[in-house]
Amino acid sequence: MNGPDNLISRNIRRYLPAVAAVLAIIAVPLAAYAVPGSGPMVSVDSYNGENITELYNVIAKICLGILILVEGILFVAIFKFRRRSDDEQPEQVHGNFKLELGWTLAALIIQVFIGFKTVDVMFEVEQEPEQDPEIVVEAIAYQWNWKFRYPEQEFRGQKFGGFTTSNLVVPANSLVELDVTSEDVLHALFIPELGVKIDAVPGRYNYWWFNAAGPNSTANVDFEQRDTQQQEQLTTTRTDYLSFLRPQGTPRSVAKERTKQGVDYLGSKPVPEVSPFATYDAREYVGMCAELCGSGHWNMYFRTVAMTPSSFEQWLVDRRKAAQSADADGAAVYSANCAQCHQGDGQGLGAQFPPLVDTQWTNKDTEESRRKHINVVLMGSNAESLQGDTTVKGDTYSGINMASHSQLNDAEVAAVINHERTSWGNSGGKITPDDVKKVREELGLEPRPVVRAGEVAPATLKQEGERLYSACVSCHGEKGTGVGQAPGLINSPKVLGTVQGFAETLLTRWGVDNNVPGSHSPMGRRMSNRELAALMTYVRQAWGNEGSPIQPPEIQKVRKQFQSNE
Amino acid sequence: MAAQVEAGAENLGVENGKIGMWTFLVMDAMTFAGFLAGYARLRWSPGSGWPMPYETFGVIGIQLTAFNTFVLICSSVSMVHVLAETMKGNLKRAENWMLATIFGGLFFLGVQGYEWTHLIMDKWPHMLSAGAAPPAYNSNFASTFLNLTGFHGAHVAVGVMYNVIMYLGLRRGKIDQDNASLIEIAGLYWHFVDLIWILVFTFVYLI
Amino acid sequence: MSQSDAMGFLSPLTEKAENSWFWYIKEWVCSTDAKRIGLMYIIFGILMGVIGGVLSILIRIELFSAGADIMSETFYATLPGMHATLMIFFFVIPIFTGVGNFVVPIQIGAPDMAFPRLNLAGFWILPAAAAMALSAYLVPKGAPGFGWTGYPPLSVQASLGADLWIAAIILVGTSSTMAAVNFLSTVFNMRCKNMTLFQMPLFTWSLVVTSFLILASTPVLTSAMMMLELQRTFPAAFHFFDPQGGGDPILYQHLFWFYSHPAVYIMILPGFGLISEVIPTFSRKPIFGYAVMAWSMIAIAVLGFVVWAHHMFTTGIALRVRMAFMLLTMLIAVPTGIKIFSWLATMWGGSLSFKTPMLFAVGFIAMFTIGGLSGVVLASVPVDIQLHDTYYVVAHIHYVLVAGSVMTIWAGIYYWWPKMTGRFYHEGLGKFHFWVTTIFINVTFFIQHYLGMQGMPRRYFDYDPQFEWANAISSLGSFALFSVQFVALGNLVWSLYAGRQAEANAWEDGETLEWDISSPPPHHNFPEPPVWEPVDRSHDEEEGHELQPQPSPAE
């Protein structure tokens, strides 16, 4: 009975080592691939990225060695010490002090080595270099997108700043400081190729820095190909980095089908055919969010555009030109405020967000249509024409939930409306900022004349400041007269003096220094630039004070200086 | 009920119940440690805007609580007497001491309720209605205060119930000299609650 | 001997008496016998594992190809968190508690746990908690979509499902602390004669260490959850994690990881202990360096408490803090390495028999090493900053949790199955299960290292199509990996009816006390209190004399 069984098992046993050896030859490198060699790290296009990759390669090699050692011993043991007969009784070894001490020390030495190696790189990569950054950008995350604010600063003698963009544009080969924060939940700014990842935490700024290689990077470049393509390489961007987000087929029809089946289809987000930075000498890196921030977490892509410094200067000039003509960039306003829901191609999304193409609001050359359009942009779903069930191109949308965009200034509203009325085949006729102003007046909204980017109408500031002042009432009194030992604010030299002096008062714990009982919390630190500007503007203009209004960019400047002093 | 098993030959020389209570107290202490760590982090981070407790509560408030602390400590002392009398077999006296302990706990809870009511109504109206202005200092002063004292108060309430059960056990003769360790275990819990209060009192009121 | 005597603690399964169906249920549901409770833990854990597996399969179907395939992004957002919650809190931890419940009292020669009724209550909290967590899918706006970490402010924003989730987490914490109190009291107070602490089998040691971890870390999670719930319920009054009200969202992460890093060891230390039982039995050699094995577990546990911030390297904590946490993290590799090498040394020179449990143990060593080494890579701060929250981390956790915890769970179930049920599973099917599992763990998770290094973040609903081929491989692997687990479950069920009868010492070479009593064990484990024959645990070769196989104490 046991004959054939034995035969088979004997044969198996004979060939098993050979089979296993072959398996091991395949498996060990494969296993090795998992830990260290699974393709190169992508973070090679910046100074810190290179350092990280180099460090990774060292650690990976050590780990590979350990892995091969462990798997090797394991395989040898498996084959050498297989049970050959049932009454085998191996020698009973309980331990070996020298051996145990040996591998403990070896493990410790290896770890200490890796530790010191890493500490070296940490000082190199994670400490901001002592030289001043060439530009500073604030990255502000919100659900679910990014905005990049450029504080007032100087680049190669050119003053710029005070504007916000939806992509991160920086000069290449320059030290860039990122001040990262969030408006709502946690996010993380992640640019894989540049080795940048830092959490965006509401209520605080996290600092990071990088030095992007940009268009002249030698990493990931096939040199032979590069020679032939050099001209192209240096004058345009590489192929559009975010092109994968472009939809295949007609998403709208697919979406319809899915919606009918009760599946909420959320297709990919389209972007303009070519990168808006195609005319600059630049290299684009895709940026994204790495900290779970809700359902739209996966869709927070932005472009990191590293331009040659001269291109960057050109970009600044172009921006200024656009700003001076008071002619806001409709496409930019659209992509920052509208594209999330209505999509880049104006086709809308799913059952909630109607399309903008060929509708009675956007594509009818009548005075009434233009008026309705302005109305909707300013009022959101409170607009008259969106009450109740709204029929757009034959589809009924119930309970539209659109935000009001009255915070945009007249030029921006006009620009985005004109963009919508002239894109995607629409031809609804243009409007002017004055039309917007008029509609605002009719609706009783506060006026938003064209101001410089980053600035806010003083009346608005004052109004916001009044609300914020409620936190100060308990000590300074409702009328700014001061209560007990807290000083009055009317005609106070501190309040009406320099912006710097006043702002610093709110940013420090001055109560202790000035021997005032109790401690005054540095309330200003927790406030945004705009809030602080609003509060200060209010105090400077209330109860007979006649100070000048203070704009958020000024606060930003003080804050920067203040932080660098600390 | 599972049959009473013979204890292992290798043991720590105390009954299971006591080890169980000790391990439970380790875990409970860690819960408070979590809350206290949170408190410390919020309070001692730069620019936290934390007020000085004695200014916020006023001297009267602190003195009231100090008296309350004294009462709680006294109830711990009376708990020691309960155990001593039970071990001696004076169950009647043990009962009376237990009543005193329970009274101490109830008194503590009552004063704390009074204090909470006044703090919330007078100093922290923002907690009840979103419209009210928050205090000028970091409002987490109020949050952590309620959190720490509330969680401790829940422990006192549980302790009072525990003691009531022990009292009934004494009265009905279910607890006597032979199983006085039941009182001892209850005492462990009660002393622990007392100890935690001293920590909470120090952190929240005094420092 | 009647049949019910032969079935020991399992008798309510086979008894054909005139009892009503109610009696059978009562005998299980209300049983305070640690062995029955242990078995219920295991069955419950497997059930939850299957549900958690279904969620992971949904994730992999969605990621199989780029673009939106079968679900909305809102629904997808709930999946990673619920999958992790089920797998961690309702699968791995309960199963180890269950195996511990069954084995630990027997291994130390005790008739039952110290607090049988507490044990029962602790178990029944779990199904209630699981029902709460899963019912989050039934309430308006569905389950919480904030991952298993539940970071505020996202978790403060979330809808009603989050409250259910928080309540479930607090309940699970309560349940596992009850079990920990029980294990510690049992082990410290109920060991049989001669079973001193350093005579205890290593599996028992691992449960002791794990219980300490649970005792000291879980309450901190509870306090974090309570603070979170307070802030959710009374937003006007509590602002612990709200920067607008002077709070700090990072505080939550500190509290959370103070629990959740030790939780990693809560999930792997029992596995370590288990492997330290399996390998000597199938090598016919005592464990190599027993004392060092025990101390290294203690070292891992202690170090496990001071490394939590390595999950937060990108939150903006200070450079020097990062550095300190990194160096401490790297230190953990030392005791872990000691364990790996000691297992290898145990096998070296032994007489290895590759039954299914041994296969799983060896597979565990081979693959856990990969997870351990990618942990060393991740410990290095600059590298971690690049890889944090990418698929590299996903690969790492699955190499330590699937190739680590799940492999050891299977090793343990196969190892003690004959003891638990008195029947052998089908060996051929067991080996088939092992090979398919091992191959497809690698197919599923290997490639994710690559994805992470190429910069694909985790918890992404849709991705760059250049990653499509790698995701497809991973998805295919996961389908096979998930399906083959049902073969194993079928094998176990089959064994109850047709498996070969197991003797007391089912593997012939079992040295610990459970192999001295009948399979399945009688109701109170031992007819009379056993006496442990001390084993030579000496360290030095020179001093240690060769021991003959231990005569079993019952003889």
Side-chain angles (χ1 to χ4, degrees), chain A residues 30 40 71 81 83 86 88 92 94 100 118 126 143 192 195 197 199 206 258 289-290 298, chain C residues 69 73 157 284 286 289 292 314-315 322 351-352 366 380 385-386 388-389 446 454 460 536 539:
Chain A
L30 198 66
E71 306 289 347
F81 301 108
R83 186 170 299 170
D86 262 355
E88 227 171 37
Q92 302 291 297
H94 290 266
E100 285 166 48
T118 304
E126 294 175 32
Q143 282 167 323
K197 189 183 286 143
D199 285 5
N206 276 337
R258 301 264 185 153
C289 176
W298 62 280
Chain C
D69 295 325
E73 56 177 7
Q157 251 181 21
R284 290 197 173 155
V292 177
T314 64
T315 54
R322 288 203 291 266
S351 165
L352 310 183
S380 172
I385 283 172
Q386 176 69 14
H388 178 76
D389 267 334
F446 235 63
Q454 295 299 312
Y460 260 33
D536 184 7
H539 213 268

Short mmCIF file of all heavy atoms in Angstrom, two decimals, chain A residues 30 40 71 81 83 86 88 92 94 100 118 126 143 192 195 197 199 206 258 289-290 298, chain C residues 69 73 157 284 286 289 292 314-315 322 351-352 366 380 385-386 388-389 446 454 460 536 539:
data_model
loop_
_atom_site.label_atom_id
_atom_site.label_comp_id
_atom_site.label_asym_id
_atom_site.label_seq_id
_atom_site.Cartn_x
_atom_site.Cartn_y
_atom_site.Cartn_z
N LEU A 30 13.78 38.83 -5.80
CA LEU A 30 12.44 39.40 -5.83
C LEU A 30 12.12 40.01 -4.47
O LEU A 30 11.64 41.13 -4.36
CB LEU A 30 11.44 38.29 -6.16
CG LEU A 30 10.08 38.75 -6.64
CD1 LEU A 30 10.21 39.44 -7.96
CD2 LEU A 30 9.14 37.58 -6.72
N PRO A 40 13.63 53.39 -8.63
CA PRO A 40 14.30 54.51 -7.98
C PRO A 40 13.29 55.36 -7.24
O PRO A 40 12.12 55.42 -7.60
CB PRO A 40 14.92 55.25 -9.15
CG PRO A 40 14.05 54.90 -10.31
CD PRO A 40 13.53 53.54 -10.06
N GLU A 71 17.24 35.41 4.86
CA GLU A 71 16.57 34.44 3.97
C GLU A 71 17.55 33.30 3.63
O GLU A 71 17.13 32.15 3.53
CB GLU A 71 16.09 35.12 2.69
CG GLU A 71 15.21 36.36 2.89
CD GLU A 71 13.82 36.04 3.43
OE1 GLU A 71 13.44 34.86 3.42
OE2 GLU A 71 13.13 36.99 3.87
N PHE A 81 18.22 20.75 7.49
CA PHE A 81 17.75 20.12 8.72
C PHE A 81 16.35 19.55 8.62
O PHE A 81 15.65 19.43 9.59
CB PHE A 81 17.84 21.13 9.88
CG PHE A 81 19.23 21.63 10.10
CD1 PHE A 81 19.58 22.92 9.76
CD2 PHE A 81 20.20 20.79 10.60
CE1 PHE A 81 20.87 23.39 9.94
CE2 PHE A 81 21.49 21.24 10.79
CZ PHE A 81 21.83 22.53 10.45
N ARG A 83 13.52 16.86 8.54
CA ARG A 83 13.48 15.61 9.30
C ARG A 83 13.60 14.45 8.34
O ARG A 83 12.86 14.36 7.37
CB ARG A 83 12.15 15.52 10.07
CG ARG A 83 12.10 14.32 10.99
CD ARG A 83 10.92 14.39 11.91
NE ARG A 83 10.98 15.59 12.75
CZ ARG A 83 9.97 15.99 13.52
NH1 ARG A 83 8.83 15.33 13.52
NH2 ARG A 83 10.09 17.06 14.25
N ASP A 86 11.71 9.45 11.52
CA ASP A 86 10.77 9.87 12.56
C ASP A 86 11.37 9.84 13.95
O ASP A 86 10.87 10.49 14.85
CB ASP A 86 9.52 8.99 12.52
CG ASP A 86 8.43 9.69 11.75
OD1 ASP A 86 8.67 10.88 11.36
OD2 ASP A 86 7.37 9.08 11.52
N GLU A 88 14.44 10.78 14.77
CA GLU A 88 15.59 11.67 14.88
C GLU A 88 15.50 12.45 16.18
O GLU A 88 14.44 12.93 16.55
CB GLU A 88 15.53 12.67 13.73
CG GLU A 88 16.80 12.86 12.99
CD GLU A 88 16.54 13.70 11.76
OE1 GLU A 88 15.71 14.63 11.85
OE2 GLU A 88 17.14 13.44 10.73
N GLN A 92 20.07 19.06 21.98
CA GLN A 92 19.24 20.07 22.63
C GLN A 92 20.08 21.28 23.02
O GLN A 92 20.73 21.29 24.06
CB GLN A 92 18.54 19.48 23.85
CG GLN A 92 17.68 18.26 23.53
CD GLN A 92 16.46 18.63 22.72
OE1 GLN A 92 15.60 19.36 23.17
NE2 GLN A 92 16.38 18.14 21.49
N HIS A 94 20.30 25.17 24.15
CA HIS A 94 19.41 26.15 24.77
C HIS A 94 19.80 27.57 24.49
O HIS A 94 19.05 28.49 24.76
CB HIS A 94 19.38 25.92 26.29
CG HIS A 94 18.67 24.67 26.65
ND1 HIS A 94 17.34 24.64 26.96
CD2 HIS A 94 19.11 23.39 26.71
CE1 HIS A 94 16.99 23.40 27.22
NE2 HIS A 94 18.04 22.62 27.07
N GLU A 100 24.55 35.19 20.92
CA GLU A 100 23.46 36.13 21.15
C GLU A 100 24.00 37.54 21.35
O GLU A 100 23.47 38.52 20.80
CB GLU A 100 22.64 35.70 22.37
CG GLU A 100 21.73 34.52 22.03
CD GLU A 100 21.17 33.84 23.26
OE1 GLU A 100 20.67 34.56 24.13
OE2 GLU A 100 21.23 32.61 23.34
N THR A 118 21.60 59.21 9.08
CA THR A 118 20.36 59.94 8.89
C THR A 118 20.40 61.33 9.52
O THR A 118 19.94 62.30 8.94
CB THR A 118 19.19 59.15 9.50
OG1 THR A 118 19.17 57.87 8.91
CG2 THR A 118 17.88 59.83 9.22
N GLU A 126 16.45 69.16 6.49
CA GLU A 126 15.26 69.62 7.19
C GLU A 126 15.45 70.94 7.89
O GLU A 126 14.49 71.55 8.36
CB GLU A 126 14.81 68.54 8.19
CG GLU A 126 14.37 67.31 7.43
CD GLU A 126 14.03 66.16 8.34
OE1 GLU A 126 13.56 66.41 9.45
OE2 GLU A 126 14.22 65.02 7.92
N GLN A 143 -10.70 72.37 1.60
CA GLN A 143 -11.39 71.23 0.98
C GLN A 143 -12.01 71.66 -0.35
O GLN A 143 -12.94 72.45 -0.32
CB GLN A 143 -12.47 70.70 1.90
CG GLN A 143 -11.91 69.84 3.03
CD GLN A 143 -12.95 69.59 4.09
OE1 GLN A 143 -13.75 70.47 4.39
NE2 GLN A 143 -12.95 68.42 4.68
N PRO A 192 6.07 64.80 -4.99
CA PRO A 192 6.97 63.65 -4.91
C PRO A 192 8.34 63.92 -5.51
O PRO A 192 9.36 63.60 -4.91
CB PRO A 192 6.24 62.56 -5.70
CG PRO A 192 4.82 62.96 -5.70
CD PRO A 192 4.79 64.45 -5.61
N GLY A 195 10.73 65.94 -3.32
CA GLY A 195 11.01 65.53 -1.94
C GLY A 195 10.38 66.47 -0.93
O GLY A 195 10.95 66.73 0.12
N LYS A 197 7.21 67.15 1.54
CA LYS A 197 5.93 66.76 2.14
C LYS A 197 5.84 67.40 3.51
O LYS A 197 6.71 67.23 4.35
CB LYS A 197 5.81 65.25 2.27
CG LYS A 197 4.40 64.83 2.69
CD LYS A 197 4.29 63.35 2.90
CE LYS A 197 4.28 62.61 1.58
NZ LYS A 197 5.00 61.36 1.71
N ASP A 199 2.69 68.71 6.47
CA ASP A 199 1.26 68.80 6.76
C ASP A 199 0.78 70.24 6.78
O ASP A 199 1.50 71.14 7.24
CB ASP A 199 0.96 68.17 8.13
CG ASP A 199 1.02 66.66 8.06
OD1 ASP A 199 1.37 66.14 7.00
OD2 ASP A 199 0.71 66.00 9.07
N ASN A 206 3.35 75.66 9.02
CA ASN A 206 4.49 74.76 9.00
C ASN A 206 5.45 75.24 7.93
O ASN A 206 5.02 75.59 6.83
CB ASN A 206 4.06 73.33 8.70
CG ASN A 206 3.60 72.62 9.94
OD1 ASN A 206 3.98 72.98 11.05
ND2 ASN A 206 2.77 71.60 9.77
N ARG A 258 -24.76 56.48 -15.48
CA ARG A 258 -24.48 56.00 -14.13
C ARG A 258 -25.47 56.57 -13.14
O ARG A 258 -25.91 55.88 -12.23
CB ARG A 258 -23.08 56.43 -13.71
CG ARG A 258 -22.02 55.90 -14.62
CD ARG A 258 -21.45 54.63 -14.03
NE ARG A 258 -20.34 54.19 -14.86
CZ ARG A 258 -19.34 53.47 -14.40
NH1 ARG A 258 -19.31 53.11 -13.16
NH2 ARG A 258 -18.38 53.09 -15.20
N CYS A 289 -2.29 66.23 -2.40
CA CYS A 289 -2.52 66.20 -0.95
C CYS A 289 -2.23 64.79 -0.46
O CYS A 289 -2.62 63.82 -1.09
CB CYS A 289 -3.96 66.57 -0.62
SG CYS A 289 -4.32 66.44 1.13
N ALA A 290 -1.53 64.68 0.66
CA ALA A 290 -1.16 63.36 1.16
C ALA A 290 -1.82 63.02 2.49
O ALA A 290 -1.56 61.97 3.05
CB ALA A 290 0.35 63.24 1.29
N TRP A 298 -8.41 62.89 -3.02
CA TRP A 298 -7.60 62.39 -4.12
C TRP A 298 -7.49 63.39 -5.26
O TRP A 298 -6.74 63.18 -6.19
CB TRP A 298 -8.23 61.11 -4.68
CG TRP A 298 -9.60 61.35 -5.24
CD1 TRP A 298 -10.75 61.46 -4.52
CD2 TRP A 298 -9.95 61.56 -6.59
NE1 TRP A 298 -11.80 61.72 -5.35
CE2 TRP A 298 -11.34 61.78 -6.63
CE3 TRP A 298 -9.22 61.57 -7.78
CZ2 TRP A 298 -12.02 62.03 -7.82
CZ3 TRP A 298 -9.92 61.81 -8.96
CH2 TRP A 298 -11.30 62.04 -8.97
N ASP C 69 -14.88 53.52 -10.95
CA ASP C 69 -15.39 52.27 -11.50
C ASP C 69 -16.74 51.86 -10.93
O ASP C 69 -17.71 51.76 -11.67
CB ASP C 69 -14.37 51.15 -11.25
CG ASP C 69 -13.09 51.40 -12.01
OD1 ASP C 69 -13.19 51.94 -13.12
OD2 ASP C 69 -12.03 51.09 -11.49
N GLU C 73 -16.89 58.61 -4.74
CA GLU C 73 -15.71 58.92 -3.91
C GLU C 73 -16.10 59.02 -2.44
O GLU C 73 -15.31 58.73 -1.56
CB GLU C 73 -15.05 60.21 -4.39
CG GLU C 73 -15.98 61.39 -4.42
CD GLU C 73 -15.28 62.69 -4.82
OE1 GLU C 73 -14.11 62.63 -5.20
OE2 GLU C 73 -15.93 63.74 -4.75
N GLN C 157 -15.89 67.36 11.78
CA GLN C 157 -16.81 67.70 10.70
C GLN C 157 -17.78 66.57 10.37
O GLN C 157 -18.88 66.83 9.89
CB GLN C 157 -15.97 67.88 9.43
CG GLN C 157 -15.81 69.26 8.92
CD GLN C 157 -14.97 69.23 7.64
OE1 GLN C 157 -14.84 68.21 6.96
NE2 GLN C 157 -14.39 70.36 7.34
N ARG C 284 11.92 19.88 17.19
CA ARG C 284 12.38 18.98 18.26
C ARG C 284 13.57 19.56 19.01
O ARG C 284 14.51 18.87 19.35
CB ARG C 284 12.77 17.61 17.68
CG ARG C 284 11.57 16.84 17.20
CD ARG C 284 11.90 15.39 17.03
NE ARG C 284 10.69 14.64 16.72
CZ ARG C 284 10.71 13.48 16.06
NH1 ARG C 284 11.85 12.96 15.67
NH2 ARG C 284 9.58 12.84 15.82
N PRO C 286 14.54 22.85 21.98
CA PRO C 286 13.98 23.96 22.78
C PRO C 286 14.28 25.29 22.10
O PRO C 286 15.18 25.39 21.27
CB PRO C 286 14.73 23.85 24.11
CG PRO C 286 15.98 23.12 23.78
CD PRO C 286 15.66 22.20 22.65
N GLY C 289 17.83 30.58 23.35
CA GLY C 289 17.92 31.82 24.12
C GLY C 289 16.61 32.24 24.73
O GLY C 289 16.12 33.35 24.50
N VAL C 292 16.51 35.60 26.71
CA VAL C 292 16.65 36.76 25.83
C VAL C 292 15.36 36.98 25.04
O VAL C 292 14.94 38.10 24.81
CB VAL C 292 17.86 36.56 24.89
CG1 VAL C 292 17.97 37.72 23.93
CG2 VAL C 292 19.12 36.43 25.70
N THR C 314 5.75 64.44 9.65
CA THR C 314 5.46 65.55 8.74
C THR C 314 4.53 66.59 9.35
O THR C 314 4.10 67.50 8.66
CB THR C 314 4.82 65.06 7.43
OG1 THR C 314 3.57 64.46 7.75
CG2 THR C 314 5.69 64.06 6.72
N THR C 315 4.19 66.45 10.63
CA THR C 315 3.24 67.41 11.19
C THR C 315 3.89 68.71 11.59
O THR C 315 3.21 69.63 12.04
CB THR C 315 2.56 66.84 12.44
OG1 THR C 315 3.58 66.43 13.35
CG2 THR C 315 1.67 65.69 12.11
N ARG C 322 12.03 65.12 16.35
CA ARG C 322 12.00 64.09 15.31
C ARG C 322 13.22 63.19 15.44
O ARG C 322 13.13 61.97 15.33
CB ARG C 322 12.02 64.74 13.93
CG ARG C 322 10.74 65.42 13.54
CD ARG C 322 10.63 65.54 12.02
NE ARG C 322 11.57 66.48 11.44
CZ ARG C 322 11.29 67.76 11.19
NH1 ARG C 322 10.11 68.24 11.46
NH2 ARG C 322 12.20 68.54 10.65
N SER C 351 15.42 19.01 13.90
CA SER C 351 14.87 18.00 13.01
C SER C 351 13.52 18.55 12.55
O SER C 351 12.52 18.40 13.21
CB SER C 351 14.71 16.69 13.77
OG SER C 351 13.88 15.81 13.06
N LEU C 352 13.53 19.25 11.39
CA LEU C 352 12.38 20.06 11.02
C LEU C 352 11.32 19.26 10.29
O LEU C 352 11.59 18.61 9.30
CB LEU C 352 12.82 21.22 10.11
CG LEU C 352 14.00 22.05 10.60
CD1 LEU C 352 14.26 23.18 9.62
CD2 LEU C 352 13.73 22.60 11.97
N ALA C 366 10.19 34.53 6.99
CA ALA C 366 10.71 35.00 5.71
C ALA C 366 10.09 36.34 5.33
O ALA C 366 10.79 37.23 4.84
CB ALA C 366 10.41 33.95 4.63
N SER C 380 13.86 56.25 9.20
CA SER C 380 14.76 57.35 8.88
C SER C 380 13.94 58.57 8.44
O SER C 380 13.24 58.51 7.43
CB SER C 380 15.69 56.89 7.76
OG SER C 380 16.44 57.96 7.30
N ILE C 385 9.74 61.18 5.33
CA ILE C 385 9.01 62.35 4.84
C ILE C 385 8.63 62.14 3.38
O ILE C 385 7.53 62.50 2.95
CB ILE C 385 9.86 63.61 5.04
CG1 ILE C 385 9.77 64.00 6.52
CG2 ILE C 385 9.39 64.74 4.16
CD1 ILE C 385 10.69 65.09 6.92
N GLN C 386 9.51 61.50 2.64
CA GLN C 386 9.17 61.22 1.24
C GLN C 386 8.09 60.14 1.14
O GLN C 386 7.22 60.22 0.28
CB GLN C 386 10.43 60.79 0.49
CG GLN C 386 10.20 60.38 -0.95
CD GLN C 386 9.83 61.57 -1.82
OE1 GLN C 386 9.98 62.71 -1.43
NE2 GLN C 386 9.30 61.30 -3.00
N HIS C 388 5.97 58.92 3.65
CA HIS C 388 4.82 59.01 4.55
C HIS C 388 3.51 59.15 3.77
O HIS C 388 3.43 59.91 2.81
CB HIS C 388 5.01 60.23 5.46
CG HIS C 388 3.89 60.46 6.41
ND1 HIS C 388 3.72 59.70 7.54
CD2 HIS C 388 2.88 61.34 6.40
CE1 HIS C 388 2.64 60.12 8.18
NE2 HIS C 388 2.12 61.11 7.51
N ASP C 389 2.50 58.39 4.21
CA ASP C 389 1.18 58.45 3.57
C ASP C 389 1.20 58.09 2.09
O ASP C 389 0.37 58.54 1.33
CB ASP C 389 0.53 59.83 3.76
CG ASP C 389 -0.37 59.83 4.99
OD1 ASP C 389 -0.85 58.75 5.37
OD2 ASP C 389 -0.58 60.91 5.57
N PHE C 446 3.82 43.39 -2.47
CA PHE C 446 5.15 43.74 -2.96
C PHE C 446 5.15 45.00 -3.80
O PHE C 446 5.91 45.93 -3.60
CB PHE C 446 5.60 42.59 -3.86
CG PHE C 446 6.88 42.02 -3.43
CD1 PHE C 446 6.99 41.43 -2.21
CD2 PHE C 446 7.97 42.08 -4.26
CE1 PHE C 446 8.18 40.89 -1.82
CE2 PHE C 446 9.16 41.55 -3.87
CZ PHE C 446 9.27 40.94 -2.66
N GLN C 454 7.10 55.66 -6.12
CA GLN C 454 6.79 56.52 -7.26
C GLN C 454 5.85 57.66 -6.88
O GLN C 454 5.46 58.45 -7.72
CB GLN C 454 6.17 55.68 -8.40
CG GLN C 454 7.12 54.66 -8.97
CD GLN C 454 8.35 55.30 -9.58
OE1 GLN C 454 8.26 56.24 -10.34
NE2 GLN C 454 9.52 54.81 -9.21
N TYR C 460 -6.34 57.00 -1.93
CA TYR C 460 -6.73 57.73 -3.13
C TYR C 460 -7.79 56.94 -3.88
O TYR C 460 -7.64 55.75 -4.12
CB TYR C 460 -5.51 57.97 -4.03
CG TYR C 460 -4.95 59.36 -3.88
CD1 TYR C 460 -5.01 60.02 -2.66
CD2 TYR C 460 -4.38 60.03 -4.96
CE1 TYR C 460 -4.50 61.30 -2.53
CE2 TYR C 460 -3.87 61.32 -4.83
CZ TYR C 460 -3.93 61.94 -3.61
OH TYR C 460 -3.44 63.20 -3.48
N ASP C 536 15.30 23.17 31.60
CA ASP C 536 16.56 23.88 31.67
C ASP C 536 16.49 25.09 30.74
O ASP C 536 16.37 24.96 29.53
CB ASP C 536 17.70 22.95 31.23
CG ASP C 536 19.03 23.64 31.38
OD1 ASP C 536 19.04 24.76 31.93
OD2 ASP C 536 20.04 23.06 30.95
N HIS C 539 21.52 29.52 29.87
CA HIS C 539 21.91 30.30 28.74
C HIS C 539 23.16 29.78 28.10
O HIS C 539 23.29 29.66 26.90
CB HIS C 539 22.10 31.73 29.22
CG HIS C 539 21.74 32.70 28.19
ND1 HIS C 539 22.65 33.19 27.31
CD2 HIS C 539 20.56 33.25 27.88
CE1 HIS C 539 22.05 34.03 26.50
NE2 HIS C 539 20.78 34.08 26.82
#
